[in-house]
Amino acid sequence: GCPGVLAVLGLEAAAPGECELTRLLQDKLQYEMRLQYMKHYFPIDYTVQVQYEEVLRPSNVTRLRNGTVSEAALRYLWFHVSSQAVLRIREVLPEKHPSWKYTQELCQLFDALGEEYSKYRQTDVEAVVADLVKLIHSAGAESRSKAVRPKALLDNCLKVMRMLYGVPCELGIR
């Protein structure tokens, strides 16, 4: 048969592991937690430097969907952008910071999701997404060109996660 085709079809449905982990993430990303750990514990108007490609908003997803990018590829992109965002936030935190443990926990959930996505082959993902993912991981610090508040990064992470996993994983929007 054609394993390539099957692999792609299989990716359209979110794996049980993905759903499990996105539910855990949804719990961790509750509004109160984002507010406390990403806003109250930071100086007023504090921002972290990220690359343009590291910001993924619902509007970007809608545009890519209309450009016929598969749901699987969008989830793959969301995973890379979001795990990168958490790393960006973690980079600026000393271990004693009250938000450090929280970002550490998010990192662990994303690491576990990474295991789920390690099954993806680059060829399973549309070129536009593969290119974005490459950019996210290739550019050096000097190309970071956008100042974003930590909470905004996690707000986007949650909103896009709900767009992409809400239906296949039955994430009740709490």
Side-chain angles (χ1 to χ4, degrees):
C2 320
V5 176
L6 288 176
V8 176
L9 291 175
L11 293 177
E12 281 307 306
E18 286 178 67
C19 289
E20 190 63 27
L21 289 161
T22 47
R23 277 190 206 107
L24 291 169
L25 272 168
Q26 180 169 252
D27 287 341
K28 277 262 171 266
L29 291 169
Q30 285 170 40
Y31 176 71
E32 294 74 23
M33 291 178 132
R34 280 177 290 138
L35 193 64
Q36 182 177 3
Y37 292 113
M38 294 293 122
K39 190 173 177 183
H40 294 164
Y41 290 167
F42 279 87
I44 291 171
D45 291 341
Y46 185 87
T47 57
V48 286
Q49 287 297 317
V50 299
Q51 299 163 198
Y52 279 107
E53 297 79 25
E54 291 173 358
V55 177
L56 183 67
R57 294 191 194 85
S59 58
N60 304 123
V61 172
T62 305
R63 198 170 60 242
L64 287 164
R65 263 180 180 163
N66 295 343
T68 65
V69 170
S70 69
E71 291 300 295
L74 288 171
R75 292 197 292 260
Y76 181 75
L77 177 62
W78 167 85
F79 162 73
H80 282 283
V81 169
S82 301
S83 44
Q84 197 67 4
V86 172
L87 289 175
R88 290 279 174 251
I89 296 166
R90 235 186 74 178
E91 281 176 354
V92 301
L93 296 175
E95 255 182 74
K96 298 261 193 295
H97 191 281
S99 298
W100 197 86
K101 187 173 175 298
Y102 176 70
T103 47
Q104 180 68 13
E105 288 164 2
L106 290 174
C107 271
Q108 285 161 352
L109 286 173
F110 278 114
D111 284 347
L113 259 180
E115 290 297 302
E116 293 288 326
Y117 287 109
S118 62
K119 308 179 187 86
Y120 283 32
R121 295 194 305 278
Q122 286 284 229
T123 50
D124 292 336
V125 176
E126 285 86 346
V128 56
V129 167
D131 291 346
L132 281 168
V133 169
K134 265 199 215 84
L135 276 170
I136 289 166
H137 293 293
S138 63
E142 67 287 346
S143 72
R144 294 184 201 176
S145 48
K146 208 167 160 52
V148 186
R149 292 177 188 173
K151 182 173 168 296
L153 287 171
L154 292 192
D155 291 350
N156 284 336
C157 168
L158 179 66
K159 281 182 198 143
V160 172
M161 182 175 90
R162 284 177 169 164
M163 279 177 81
L164 298 177
Y165 293 91
V167 176
C169 292
E170 294 166 20
L171 294 181
I173 305 298
R174 291 205 280 290

